[in-house]
Amino acid sequence: MAIKYKVLPRKNPRDLMAPEKFYAAALADGDVDLDRLAELISYQCTVTASDCYAVLLSLEHNIIGELGQGRIVKLGRLGNFQVGISSEGKETAADVSSSAIKKSRILFRPGKKLRSMLNELSFRKAG
């Protein structure tokens, strides 16, 4: 597996007068949607692509519902999803309210196989 990358210049946000440095940035090489995943899964088992698609849509719906209830969604070997938040700092605990929350995001902690895949990657410069 080889991941393409490009080189991008970036300023130091803490020192805008400092010279730019160059960093590698991963390039996506296309995408895969639920239709394609359902098709791929159907080739690997006896379930039809439309049945796989229905299951994947149901999985998405239920993950959204459970995350919305504040639960950690554990998908076994695949990994875990959880909601994370960022807030403003306040002087006292009593000063912290929901209005201090500025951003929410979905955190994903990959399972062992997904994490180990990262160690098997190679990289090649695009272009």
Side-chain angles (χ1 to χ4, degrees):
M1 292 183 270
I3 303 295
K4 293 178 189 174
Y5 70 92
K6 63 182 176 182
V7 178
L8 296 176
R10 293 205 179 120
K11 288 232 177 243
N12 181 344
R14 293 185 180 159
D15 182 3
L16 296 175
M17 300 308 292
E20 290 179 329
K21 289 190 177 181
F22 294 87
Y23 297 87
L27 280 177
D29 192 15
D31 55 28
V32 178
D33 62 11
L34 284 181
D35 288 332
R36 178 67 177 144
L37 286 173
E39 183 182 344
L40 290 168
I41 292 167
S42 74
Y43 293 145
Q44 299 165 351
C45 62
T46 59
V47 181
T48 67
S50 58
D51 288 339
C52 291
Y53 185 72
V55 168
L56 290 171
L57 286 180
S58 198
L59 177 65
E60 176 193 37
H61 174 79
N62 286 289
I63 288 172
I64 290 168
E66 296 301 314
L67 289 174
Q69 296 295 315
R71 294 184 180 99
I72 297 172
V73 178
K74 296 182 175 186
L75 295 178
R77 294 173 13 179
L78 187 59
N80 303 331
F81 291 93
Q82 182 176 2
V83 172
I85 58 175
S86 299
S87 72
E88 294 176 337
K90 299 291 183 180
E91 295 298 319
T92 66
D95 291 338
V96 178
S97 68
S98 61
S99 65
I101 298 171
K102 296 301 172 197
K103 185 168 90 170
S104 58
R105 62 195 175 285
I106 295 174
L107 305 172
F108 176 69
R109 286 184 222 81
K112 228 184 256 187
K113 277 191 175 182
L114 282 175
R115 280 194 318 266
S116 67
M117 176 271 307
L118 295 173
N119 297 326
E120 299 166 13
L121 294 175
S122 61
F123 303 93
R124 63 186 167 95
K125 200 174 198 174

